[in-house]
Amino acid sequence: MESKSGFMKDTQILSAFQELTPSTDGRSAVARPVEAGLVFDACQTGVVLRAVLFVELCVGVGAAFPANDAVDWVIRLAMVTGGALPATLAWLLLACLLKKLITRLIPELQYTLMVAMGGIAGLYGCAMLAWSGLLLAGVPWVASAVCGLLLSGILVAALVMRSKSRMPADTSARLAELQSRIRPHFLFNTLNSAIALVRAEPAKAEALLEDLSDLFREALKDSGEPVRLAQEIELAQRYLAIEQVRFGERLRVQWAVDPAADDAKLPPLLLQPLVENAVRHGVEPSAQGAEVRISTQRRGSIVVIKVTNTVPNGQGERGHGLALRNVRERLDLLHDVQGQFRSGLNDGVYQVRIEVPL
């Protein structure tokens, strides 16, 4: 991207991210149900990774008891993994394919069905080992079924407890995010701008108040359902239209929106606080103003969202990270490990970069 003020090119910003220090507040990978009645979503990458790691850990511990030495342990681990891994993946695949059916069931029936599928998966894993000829001392059908029932029961309990434990964090993050967005001085400044325009430019004042009304309607909407990226962009455009009246030429906005990325799902009100941060930390402190660029791009099954702004000379990393932490937490709650969030300052340009699955 090019401009008279020397705004850094987008490709330069991307390459500069390789040298940025990782954020200190960290990420929390969370499995969040995407269906209202689903105890956990087996289609999520994070759930798949946790299930495979848990089963492999149990297999590794179990293989250590009869092993005579490290080599014997590795051999036994490889042999049992040959049955346990396909069984685990089969359990996850079946749970994912039956997600719509499982969602209609009450939680108790969901638990029962998941555990029962674990027993079936245990039999499947045993059959795989028997078919490969690795079982020399008989086929332990009963033991395999019991192990499948036990491991799936523990795994279901752990995933459900993890999901429930994140509900208060989800509520707190949404509440803090909402409180951080409805700032009194933003409302007062907007109303003052509208009052100043009422007589001179009534049509412009009316448009300003309509944008403000739509913005606050979305902010006060009590909905945790994901929204399309296109909706978030439209809301951010309304916010910037309001701030454009206030700052005039000091706020220079550039959009680079990829229509192919519009269907990506985001938590509601995720993009607007990032745009607001760009205005607060880029435009407000500078008499010359700043440039703000919002871009979206589809890259295969991934959508990349970037909010970039120049910062005044001598201004370092932003002092507070409340809005950024809230955005990161809410992104984690929706997309788990499939959502990526990075932010950093490089050569007077601050950028927030988000990646979400499409």
Side-chain angles (χ1 to χ4, degrees):
M1 180 175 64
E2 298 178 357
S3 70
K4 295 180 180 179
S5 61
F7 198 29
M8 180 181 286
K9 291 184 178 179
D10 198 50
T11 54
Q12 292 175 318
I13 298 172
L14 295 180
S15 62
F17 262 111
Q18 304 302 321
E19 302 175 1
L20 291 175
T21 302
S23 178
T24 57
D25 56 352
R27 288 174 51 87
S28 57
V30 181
R32 183 193 186 211
V34 298
E35 299 282 357
L38 199 61
V39 293
F40 67 87
D41 188 0
C43 299
Q44 283 194 344
T45 304
V47 173
V48 174
L49 292 176
R50 292 185 187 93
V52 171
L53 289 175
F54 170 72
V55 172
E56 281 299 298
L57 178 63
C58 293
V59 168
V61 173
F65 285 97
N68 298 319
D69 51 36
V71 175
D72 187 26
W73 175 76
V74 171
I75 294 174
R76 292 176 182 273
L77 176 61
M79 182 184 71
V80 180
T81 297
L85 184 58
T88 303
L89 294 177
W91 181 76
L92 291 166
L93 179 61
L94 189 60
C96 182
L97 292 175
L98 297 178
K99 181 172 70 171
K100 292 184 178 180
L101 174 63
I102 295 173
T103 304
R104 301 190 184 101
L105 304 176
I106 62 175
E108 290 75 13
L109 288 179
Q110 292 189 40
Y111 306 149
T112 302
L113 181 59
M114 291 283 191
V115 173
M117 289 193 302
I120 296 174
L123 293 174
Y124 170 72
C126 182
M128 292 289 293
L129 291 177
W131 175 77
S132 65
L134 295 176
L135 298 177
L136 303 179
V139 182
W141 296 107
V142 176
S144 298
V146 172
C147 285
L149 291 170
L150 180 61
L151 291 179
S152 62
I154 296 174
L155 185 59
V156 167
L159 290 173
V160 170
M161 290 176 62
R162 186 179 185 88
S163 178
K164 289 183 176 180
S165 70
R166 293 305 301 179
M167 290 181 184
D170 187 12
T171 302
S172 298
R174 288 180 56 201
L175 179 59
E177 187 271 342
L178 181 62
Q179 292 172 339
S180 69
R181 298 174 42 60
I182 306 179
R183 298 182 295 122
H185 81 266
F186 167 69
L187 174 60
F188 297 152
N189 288 334
T190 303
L191 293 177
N192 287 334
S193 298
I195 292 172
L197 291 171
V198 166
R199 293 185 179 180
E201 299 181 75
K204 197 171 184 179
E206 181 181 359
L208 179 65
L209 293 176
E210 287 178 353
D211 288 336
L212 180 65
S213 174
D214 290 338
L215 184 64
F216 272 74
R217 183 182 297 111
E218 292 297 324
L220 296 173
K221 186 183 296 183
D222 185 18
S223 173
E225 295 299 318
V227 298
R228 296 174 64 242
L229 174 58
Q231 295 174 256
E232 288 290 289
I233 291 174
E234 182 180 356
L235 195 64
Q237 288 173 336
R238 291 185 178 276
Y239 170 79
L240 288 173
I242 293 173
E243 294 290 49
Q244 191 76 67
V245 174
R246 177 185 170 196
F247 292 106
E249 294 182 357
R250 289 174 59 196
L251 173 58
R252 300 178 291 278
V253 182
Q254 296 185 19
W255 292 89
V257 177
D258 182 0
D262 285 349
D263 289 331
K265 295 298 184 180
L266 294 176
L269 295 172
L270 189 83
L271 184 59
Q272 196 273 341
L274 300 178
V275 176
E276 182 175 352
N277 258 14
V279 174
R280 292 180 64 187
H281 298 280
V283 182
E284 285 188 6
S286 174
Q288 292 75 33
E291 299 188 18
V292 177
R293 186 177 193 267
I294 303 95
S295 67
T296 63
Q297 183 181 17
R298 178 177 179 177
R299 298 180 180 177
S301 61
I302 298 296
V303 170
V304 179
I305 307 164
K306 289 172 285 185
V307 179
T308 311
N309 67 276
T310 53
V311 297
N313 292 333
Q315 180 174 310
E317 195 85 12
R318 303 176 193 209
H320 76 281
L322 176 62
L324 297 183
R325 285 196 300 272
N326 287 332
V327 168
R328 178 182 284 108
E329 289 176 5
R330 298 174 69 218
L331 188 68
D332 285 337
L333 288 166
L334 178 62
H335 289 300
D336 199 11
V337 296
Q338 291 178 288
Q340 301 294 324
F341 181 98
R342 288 185 292 173
S343 63
L345 176 68
N346 188 77
D347 292 340
V349 176
Y350 193 91
Q351 184 180 91
V352 174
R353 176 190 172 107
I354 295 174
E355 295 182 13
V356 295
L358 185 60

